[in-house]
Amino acid sequence: MDVASDKQRIRARKLTDFVRQEALSLGFDLCRITAPDSIPLAPERLRQFLDKGYHGTMAWMEETEARRAEPKTLWGDVRSIVMFGLNYGPEEDPRGVLSKPDKAAISVYARNRDYHDVIKGRLKEIATRFAARAGEDVKVFVDTAPVMEKPLAAAAGLGWQGKHTNLVSRTHGSWLFLGSMFTTADLCLDEAEKDHCGSCRACLDACPTAAFPAPYQLDARRCISYLTIEHKGPIPHEFRPMIGNRIYGCDDCLAACPWNKFAASASEMKLQAREDLKEPSIAFLLTLDDAAFRSFFSGSPVKRIGRNRFIRNVLIAAGNSRDRQFLEQCKALSERDPSPEVRGMAAWALSRLMDREEFRTYSATRAPETDPEAEMEWQLAEA
């Protein structure tokens, strides 16, 4: 009988039970554990993604490839990885706002406080208590670090990566925030979850821009979440009409997942959506200057993209609405806004709100545009 091995197993079980109890006490809905070498296919899949250029302008994905693909490259001493899941499922189908062209659609995850701050704060509490109990080193990560959270979460058994590439849970559908704690402690490992997508392709068919070249593959360059959040500068013309009134992210593929109907009820510690971010009016959002934007979106992840990029998105929604109530606001932005990005997109919006002759007449009387890209928007709209 190996007494030392028995003691190690008992210690691992006690520490595992402890971290799970802490996770539940701080509002996490799921907590499971995997090993740092549990995602052997991840490096090659990441390389294929990058080789095809599916990451678009997200250069940081290439820059952090080695650390992202292999957890031990990120931290050589890690022995166990604890994955946490927090339910953020909406109370209603978020696609309802898409049929209201005078309203703006903000992705469900961004309708409340910035989840990075909330989850990291909770993880730090768990890590502090765990380190004190275990006498081991710990590190916590939430999305912004080069950690492949979705493959690790699948390996830990929180769910599986669906055909839309996001994590799907049998108990929470496609609505889970993820966080991780790396530790030098040996913990009890969980089994990976099996893929339960079957022949379903609801998420793939729901995508407005056909951003999935194949099941389990995402071309971010066509994804509305990428275009409205990560992409800088003018959004390619071909995608603008498809964006509709989605001004920050897109929930269509997530909301289409049939597993959402099995989602467990929300916990008391779930992040609650701000009422004023569920269906904000486009007219109001077009009034936001930089100070008003920062104030209105204080504590929200929307704030991170900055006012100019945000108003660019709102102008696309205004143009797609075909509603002339936004005409004067778009004219004012095209003439006087300090941002060339905003002025250029306002020109495009006006071309959608006016008929052809009205737009050409208005364009002929406007003040000269000093920015080449903004001027190009006027020329393309007149063509």
Side-chain angles (χ1 to χ4, degrees):
M1 179 178 178
D2 190 335
V3 176
S5 295
D6 284 343
K7 287 183 177 180
Q8 290 172 351
R9 281 193 290 269
I10 293 171
R11 181 175 187 271
R13 171 50 59 194
K14 287 183 176 180
L15 291 177
T16 300
D17 290 343
F18 176 78
V19 74
R20 284 178 173 155
Q21 290 167 4
E22 289 294 308
L24 291 174
S25 71
L26 284 175
F28 286 103
D29 297 282
L30 297 172
C31 174
R32 295 174 71 89
I33 300 161
T34 191
D37 60 356
S38 62
I39 52 172
L41 299 179
E44 178 57 26
R45 289 174 177 170
L46 176 58
R47 175 44 32 204
Q48 291 175 0
F49 176 81
L50 295 171
D51 285 343
K52 292 177 180 178
Y54 287 169
H55 60 303
T57 59
M58 295 183 288
W60 46 267
M61 294 195 75
E62 284 191 285
E63 295 165 1
T64 61
E65 179 186 359
R67 288 179 292 158
R68 187 174 300 276
E70 172 54 61
K72 276 191 170 290
T73 303
L74 182 63
W75 187 26
D77 294 331
V78 60
R79 298 179 67 86
S80 303
I81 298 176
V82 186
M83 296 301 303
F84 302 85
L86 180 65
N87 170 33
Y88 73 99
E91 301 302 322
E92 68 289 321
D93 189 327
R95 294 172 293 180
V97 69
L98 300 180
S99 63
K100 303 174 183 179
D102 62 325
K103 304 294 185 181
I106 294 177
S107 187
V108 172
Y109 88 86
R111 295 178 184 178
N112 38 47
R113 292 171 56 201
D114 193 328
Y115 75 94
H116 299 91
D117 299 333
V118 175
I119 294 180
K120 195 155 193 177
R122 297 185 189 183
L123 290 183
K124 284 182 176 179
E125 284 191 57
I126 294 173
T128 299
R129 297 171 191 168
F130 180 84
R133 172 69 66 93
E136 300 278 358
D137 292 333
V138 295
K139 293 184 179 183
V140 297
F141 304 101
V142 183
D143 191 32
T144 52
V147 176
M148 298 189 75
E149 292 174 321
K150 289 181 286 188
L152 286 169
L158 269 69
W160 67 96
Q161 279 191 266
K163 292 177 182 177
H164 53 18
T165 74
N166 291 288
L167 195 77
V168 182
S169 161
R170 286 192 291 177
T171 54
H172 295 86
S174 289
W175 308 109
L176 280 177
F177 289 135
L178 300 175
S180 61
M181 183 181 81
F182 286 35
T183 178
T184 55
D186 285 309
L187 300 176
C188 300
L189 306 181
D190 292 295
E191 292 185 5
E193 178 64 274
K194 295 179 181 179
D195 188 320
H196 296 285
C197 285
S199 60
C200 177
R201 51 175 294 120
C203 60
L204 308 180
D205 295 337
C207 181
T209 55
F212 302 105
Y216 307 104
Q217 294 182 27
L218 171 66
D219 184 347
R221 297 169 299 182
R222 300 184 64 88
C223 176
I224 292 176
S225 286
Y226 165 81
L227 291 168
T228 57
I229 299 173
E230 301 289 347
H231 181 78
K232 298 177 181 179
I235 290 175
H237 280 71
E238 64 177 300
F239 298 123
R240 295 177 191 178
M242 304 176 195
I243 288 174
N245 60 346
R246 303 170 184 84
I247 63 165
Y248 188 91
C250 177
D251 290 321
D252 291 32
C253 66
L254 301 178
C257 180
W259 284 95
N260 291 337
K261 64 185 177 184
F262 299 111
S265 59
S267 67
E268 293 182 0
M269 298 183 73
K270 174 186 167 183
L271 299 182
Q272 297 298 319
R274 281 172 45 180
E275 287 298 321
D276 57 356
L277 293 185
K278 288 184 177 180
E279 295 185 0
S281 73
I282 290 173
F284 164 69
L285 297 176
L286 287 174
T287 67
L288 299 179
D289 59 15
D290 189 65
F293 169 81
R294 290 176 178 275
S295 175
F296 185 69
F297 288 106
S298 177
S300 163
V302 176
K303 186 178 176 182
R304 289 186 287 120
I305 69 171
R307 178 263 178 185
N308 295 341
R309 203 184 311 178
F310 178 77
I311 297 298
R312 171 203 68 181
N313 299 341
V314 180
L315 284 164
I316 290 177
N320 285 332
S321 75
R322 303 286 188 167
D323 191 333
R324 291 177 65 89
Q325 71 165 299
F326 306 125
L327 200 57
E328 294 306 315
Q329 287 181 294
C330 290
K331 284 182 179 179
L333 290 169
S334 76
E335 296 167 1
R336 297 187 290 276
D337 198 86
S339 166
E341 182 177 12
V342 169
R343 296 198 304 273
M345 198 57 72
W348 180 85
L350 287 169
S351 74
R352 305 269 291 180
L353 298 175
M354 298 176 174
D355 63 38
R356 194 172 191 80
E357 287 307 312
E358 182 185 10
F359 179 75
R360 285 181 171 175
T361 300
Y362 177 75
S363 179
T365 60
R366 64 184 170 89
E369 173 56 64
T370 58
D371 182 80
E373 284 195 354
E375 177 60 29
M376 181 62 69
E377 289 288 348
W378 284 100
Q379 293 179 15
L380 289 173
E382 288 181 53

